[in-house]
Amino acid sequence: MTERIVVKIGSSSLTSDEGGLNRERIAFFSRELASLYDAGYQVLLVTSGAVAAGFRKIGYRSRPKLVHEKQAAAAVGQ
């Protein structure tokens, strides 16, 4: 049986100081997860970065505070 590892990465670990996605951090985590996979683990990634990924694409200058704005940003970010 293959051992499963669940990795949770929060929005603050995926975003830049300006609030958008930090592609360097994403690349780092991708390499780390790939190393676990290559070592024979079954890797499950859980993340909450959808709002961070989407809010700038729909025109918000900063991370939204209102629930309906967060939902819209998350829908785009997913």
Side-chain angles (χ1 to χ4, degrees):
M1 176 185 250
T2 303
E3 190 171 350
R4 179 178 300 146
I5 297 177
V6 178
V7 178
K8 163 65 165 72
I9 304 175
S11 294
S12 63
S13 297
L14 299 174
T15 56
S16 65
D17 293 337
E18 296 79 38
L21 290 178
N22 183 323
R23 302 216 181 270
E24 289 178 14
R25 288 185 188 166
I26 292 170
F28 167 78
F29 288 122
S30 298
R31 287 190 301 273
E32 294 296 307
L33 295 173
S35 293
L36 289 170
Y37 180 82
D38 291 343
Y41 294 97
Q42 186 180 58
V43 181
L44 177 63
L45 173 62
V46 179
T47 183
S48 60
V51 173
F55 79 87
R56 291 202 187 271
K57 291 184 187 270
I58 58 175
Y60 294 128
R61 292 178 185 233
S62 62
R63 187 177 175 90
K65 305 274 190 268
L66 301 176
V67 173
H68 70 278
E69 293 174 342
K70 288 180 184 179
Q71 289 171 331
V76 171
Q78 290 175 352

